[in-house]
Amino acid sequence: DVFLFSGSVSDNISLGRSDIDSAQIERAARAVEAHAFIERMPQGYGTEIRERGTNLSAGQRQLLSFARALAHGAQILVLDEATSSIDSETEAMIQNGIHALMRDKTAIAIAHRLSTIRDVDRIYVLGKGELLESGGHSELVARGGVYSRLFSLQAKLERANAEAQPAG
């Protein structure tokens, strides 16, 4: 659950720190793909956000939180179901934001959507409180175990959902 407070987009990214200037805020927003939606807002980075970000979508709140972490130079990140409450279209933007955010950082990413963790260095598959498998994505898929079955099932569901969508 992303926490945003009443104040401008800039203030929510900088958390009011004077050492984070507008150029750093914009750079962070661009890196996580938040800049485009911020620019479309009535006053851009000056747009007021309501308490808890109720005037933003779940995806927009996530992207602002990524920009905040990037602007503040967080070296350790914990992402718990970062793509769980967003639609598939927004997920692609969030995925790009996550990749930018995690670059050169230590990150613990908890996810049921396996596309979120596909590019991480090491994946740990847990079940009923026990470690079932660990390894990289390709290694786990090749092994044909739990991760491989889950990945295949999710890929099949995503293809079926894509085919069910009406043509643009």
Side-chain angles (χ1 to χ4, degrees), residues 39-54:
E39 282 293 293
R40 287 191 304 270
M41 296 175 87
Q43 287 85 39
Y45 286 85
T47 301
E48 290 294 311
I49 294 177
R50 282 183 263 173
E51 186 79 28
R52 302 195 58 77
T54 57

PDB file of all heavy atoms in Angstrom, residues 39-54:
ATOM      1  N   GLU A  39       2.946  15.069 -16.307  1.00  0.00           N
ATOM      2  CA  GLU A  39       2.826  16.205 -17.223  1.00  0.00           C
ATOM      3  C   GLU A  39       1.392  16.419 -17.696  1.00  0.00           C
ATOM      4  O   GLU A  39       1.019  17.542 -18.019  1.00  0.00           O
ATOM      5  CB  GLU A  39       3.760  16.018 -18.423  1.00  0.00           C
ATOM      6  CG  GLU A  39       5.201  16.332 -18.104  1.00  0.00           C
ATOM      7  CD  GLU A  39       5.413  17.811 -17.796  1.00  0.00           C
ATOM      8  OE1 GLU A  39       5.264  18.634 -18.705  1.00  0.00           O
ATOM      9  OE2 GLU A  39       5.741  18.129 -16.638  1.00  0.00           O
ATOM     10  N   ARG A  40       0.603  15.357 -17.758  1.00  0.00           N
ATOM     11  CA  ARG A  40      -0.798  15.480 -18.196  1.00  0.00           C
ATOM     12  C   ARG A  40      -1.712  15.984 -17.082  1.00  0.00           C
ATOM     13  O   ARG A  40      -2.867  16.329 -17.329  1.00  0.00           O
ATOM     14  CB  ARG A  40      -1.317  14.132 -18.707  1.00  0.00           C
ATOM     15  CG  ARG A  40      -0.745  13.731 -20.055  1.00  0.00           C
ATOM     16  CD  ARG A  40      -1.464  12.541 -20.660  1.00  0.00           C
ATOM     17  NE  ARG A  40      -1.490  11.365 -19.804  1.00  0.00           N
ATOM     18  CZ  ARG A  40      -0.569  10.406 -19.782  1.00  0.00           C
ATOM     19  NH1 ARG A  40       0.489  10.484 -20.582  1.00  0.00           N
ATOM     20  NH2 ARG A  40      -0.686   9.377 -18.971  1.00  0.00           N
ATOM     21  N   MET A  41      -1.198  16.042 -15.860  1.00  0.00           N
ATOM     22  CA  MET A  41      -2.004  16.522 -14.736  1.00  0.00           C
ATOM     23  C   MET A  41      -2.175  18.041 -14.864  1.00  0.00           C
ATOM     24  O   MET A  41      -1.344  18.703 -15.502  1.00  0.00           O
ATOM     25  CB  MET A  41      -1.355  16.138 -13.416  1.00  0.00           C
ATOM     26  CG  MET A  41      -1.287  14.620 -13.224  1.00  0.00           C
ATOM     27  SD  MET A  41      -0.407  14.152 -11.735  1.00  0.00           S
ATOM     28  CE  MET A  41      -1.766  14.206 -10.571  1.00  0.00           C
ATOM     29  N   PRO A  42      -3.240  18.611 -14.278  1.00  0.00           N
ATOM     30  CA  PRO A  42      -3.546  20.038 -14.452  1.00  0.00           C
ATOM     31  C   PRO A  42      -2.366  20.996 -14.205  1.00  0.00           C
ATOM     32  O   PRO A  42      -2.150  21.913 -14.987  1.00  0.00           O
ATOM     33  CB  PRO A  42      -4.670  20.296 -13.449  1.00  0.00           C
ATOM     34  CG  PRO A  42      -5.293  18.962 -13.234  1.00  0.00           C
ATOM     35  CD  PRO A  42      -4.208  17.939 -13.422  1.00  0.00           C
ATOM     36  N   GLN A  43      -1.606  20.813 -13.144  1.00  0.00           N
ATOM     37  CA  GLN A  43      -0.457  21.676 -12.862  1.00  0.00           C
ATOM     38  C   GLN A  43       0.859  20.882 -12.879  1.00  0.00           C
ATOM     39  O   GLN A  43       1.833  21.283 -12.236  1.00  0.00           O
ATOM     40  CB  GLN A  43      -0.605  22.370 -11.499  1.00  0.00           C
ATOM     41  CG  GLN A  43      -1.634  23.495 -11.468  1.00  0.00           C
ATOM     42  CD  GLN A  43      -3.031  22.949 -11.203  1.00  0.00           C
ATOM     43  OE1 GLN A  43      -3.209  22.042 -10.411  1.00  0.00           O
ATOM     44  NE2 GLN A  43      -4.014  23.490 -11.891  1.00  0.00           N
ATOM     45  N   GLY A  44       0.883  19.769 -13.586  1.00  0.00           N
ATOM     46  CA  GLY A  44       2.107  18.970 -13.666  1.00  0.00           C
ATOM     47  C   GLY A  44       2.615  18.581 -12.295  1.00  0.00           C
ATOM     48  O   GLY A  44       1.866  18.070 -11.464  1.00  0.00           O
ATOM     49  N   TYR A  45       3.871  18.853 -12.035  1.00  0.00           N
ATOM     50  CA  TYR A  45       4.490  18.495 -10.751  1.00  0.00           C
ATOM     51  C   TYR A  45       3.929  19.314  -9.590  1.00  0.00           C
ATOM     52  O   TYR A  45       4.116  18.942  -8.433  1.00  0.00           O
ATOM     53  CB  TYR A  45       6.016  18.662 -10.833  1.00  0.00           C
ATOM     54  CG  TYR A  45       6.668  17.574 -11.650  1.00  0.00           C
ATOM     55  CD1 TYR A  45       6.763  17.678 -13.044  1.00  0.00           C
ATOM     56  CD2 TYR A  45       7.178  16.438 -11.049  1.00  0.00           C
ATOM     57  CE1 TYR A  45       7.347  16.681 -13.799  1.00  0.00           C
ATOM     58  CE2 TYR A  45       7.762  15.428 -11.802  1.00  0.00           C
ATOM     59  CZ  TYR A  45       7.844  15.557 -13.175  1.00  0.00           C
ATOM     60  OH  TYR A  45       8.418  14.553 -13.926  1.00  0.00           O
ATOM     61  N   GLY A  46       3.222  20.398  -9.889  1.00  0.00           N
ATOM     62  CA  GLY A  46       2.598  21.219  -8.851  1.00  0.00           C
ATOM     63  C   GLY A  46       1.188  20.780  -8.498  1.00  0.00           C
ATOM     64  O   GLY A  46       0.566  21.338  -7.592  1.00  0.00           O
ATOM     65  N   THR A  47       0.658  19.782  -9.208  1.00  0.00           N
ATOM     66  CA  THR A  47      -0.701  19.303  -8.947  1.00  0.00           C
ATOM     67  C   THR A  47      -0.804  18.760  -7.525  1.00  0.00           C
ATOM     68  O   THR A  47       0.066  18.019  -7.066  1.00  0.00           O
ATOM     69  CB  THR A  47      -1.092  18.190  -9.945  1.00  0.00           C
ATOM     70  OG1 THR A  47      -1.012  18.719 -11.263  1.00  0.00           O
ATOM     71  CG2 THR A  47      -2.493  17.668  -9.688  1.00  0.00           C
ATOM     72  N   GLU A  48      -1.871  19.170  -6.854  1.00  0.00           N
ATOM     73  CA  GLU A  48      -2.106  18.717  -5.484  1.00  0.00           C
ATOM     74  C   GLU A  48      -2.649  17.291  -5.476  1.00  0.00           C
ATOM     75  O   GLU A  48      -3.575  16.959  -6.227  1.00  0.00           O
ATOM     76  CB  GLU A  48      -3.091  19.642  -4.762  1.00  0.00           C
ATOM     77  CG  GLU A  48      -2.526  21.015  -4.457  1.00  0.00           C
ATOM     78  CD  GLU A  48      -1.387  20.986  -3.445  1.00  0.00           C
ATOM     79  OE1 GLU A  48      -1.529  20.351  -2.385  1.00  0.00           O
ATOM     80  OE2 GLU A  48      -0.336  21.603  -3.732  1.00  0.00           O
ATOM     81  N   ILE A  49      -2.075  16.489  -4.631  1.00  0.00           N
ATOM     82  CA  ILE A  49      -2.528  15.113  -4.435  1.00  0.00           C
ATOM     83  C   ILE A  49      -3.322  15.082  -3.141  1.00  0.00           C
ATOM     84  O   ILE A  49      -2.923  15.680  -2.139  1.00  0.00           O
ATOM     85  CB  ILE A  49      -1.317  14.155  -4.340  1.00  0.00           C
ATOM     86  CG1 ILE A  49      -0.592  14.133  -5.676  1.00  0.00           C
ATOM     87  CG2 ILE A  49      -1.765  12.755  -3.926  1.00  0.00           C
ATOM     88  CD1 ILE A  49       0.654  13.291  -5.691  1.00  0.00           C
ATOM     89  N   ARG A  50      -4.448  14.387  -3.192  1.00  0.00           N
ATOM     90  CA  ARG A  50      -5.262  14.242  -1.985  1.00  0.00           C
ATOM     91  C   ARG A  50      -4.638  13.205  -1.053  1.00  0.00           C
ATOM     92  O   ARG A  50      -3.867  12.352  -1.489  1.00  0.00           O
ATOM     93  CB  ARG A  50      -6.686  13.815  -2.336  1.00  0.00           C
ATOM     94  CG  ARG A  50      -7.508  14.994  -2.849  1.00  0.00           C
ATOM     95  CD  ARG A  50      -8.902  14.561  -3.113  1.00  0.00           C
ATOM     96  NE  ARG A  50      -8.906  14.291  -4.561  1.00  0.00           N
ATOM     97  CZ  ARG A  50      -9.890  13.764  -5.237  1.00  0.00           C
ATOM     98  NH1 ARG A  50     -10.968  13.380  -4.643  1.00  0.00           N
ATOM     99  NH2 ARG A  50      -9.798  13.583  -6.523  1.00  0.00           N
ATOM    100  N   GLU A  51      -5.002  13.280   0.213  1.00  0.00           N
ATOM    101  CA  GLU A  51      -4.531  12.322   1.218  1.00  0.00           C
ATOM    102  C   GLU A  51      -4.637  10.904   0.693  1.00  0.00           C
ATOM    103  O   GLU A  51      -5.661  10.522   0.134  1.00  0.00           O
ATOM    104  CB  GLU A  51      -5.363  12.469   2.498  1.00  0.00           C
ATOM    105  CG  GLU A  51      -4.886  11.637   3.660  1.00  0.00           C
ATOM    106  CD  GLU A  51      -3.686  12.247   4.367  1.00  0.00           C
ATOM    107  OE1 GLU A  51      -3.537  13.474   4.346  1.00  0.00           O
ATOM    108  OE2 GLU A  51      -2.905  11.475   4.927  1.00  0.00           O
ATOM    109  N   ARG A  52      -3.551  10.135   0.815  1.00  0.00           N
ATOM    110  CA  ARG A  52      -3.441   8.742   0.381  1.00  0.00           C
ATOM    111  C   ARG A  52      -3.524   8.595  -1.143  1.00  0.00           C
ATOM    112  O   ARG A  52      -3.669   7.507  -1.659  1.00  0.00           O
ATOM    113  CB  ARG A  52      -4.458   7.846   1.086  1.00  0.00           C
ATOM    114  CG  ARG A  52      -4.301   7.892   2.616  1.00  0.00           C
ATOM    115  CD  ARG A  52      -5.007   6.814   3.363  1.00  0.00           C
ATOM    116  NE  ARG A  52      -4.646   5.447   3.023  1.00  0.00           N
ATOM    117  CZ  ARG A  52      -3.540   4.816   3.402  1.00  0.00           C
ATOM    118  NH1 ARG A  52      -2.643   5.457   4.123  1.00  0.00           N
ATOM    119  NH2 ARG A  52      -3.316   3.565   3.073  1.00  0.00           N
ATOM    120  N   GLY A  53      -3.479   9.719  -1.860  1.00  0.00           N
ATOM    121  CA  GLY A  53      -3.463   9.667  -3.322  1.00  0.00           C
ATOM    122  C   GLY A  53      -4.776   9.212  -3.924  1.00  0.00           C
ATOM    123  O   GLY A  53      -4.789   8.598  -4.995  1.00  0.00           O
ATOM    124  N   THR A  54      -5.883   9.560  -3.292  1.00  0.00           N
ATOM    125  CA  THR A  54      -7.191   9.094  -3.767  1.00  0.00           C
ATOM    126  C   THR A  54      -7.574   9.658  -5.135  1.00  0.00           C
ATOM    127  O   THR A  54      -8.474   9.123  -5.774  1.00  0.00           O
ATOM    128  CB  THR A  54      -8.314   9.412  -2.748  1.00  0.00           C
ATOM    129  OG1 THR A  54      -8.333  10.823  -2.508  1.00  0.00           O
ATOM    130  CG2 THR A  54      -8.099   8.657  -1.438  1.00  0.00           C
TER     131      THR A  54
END
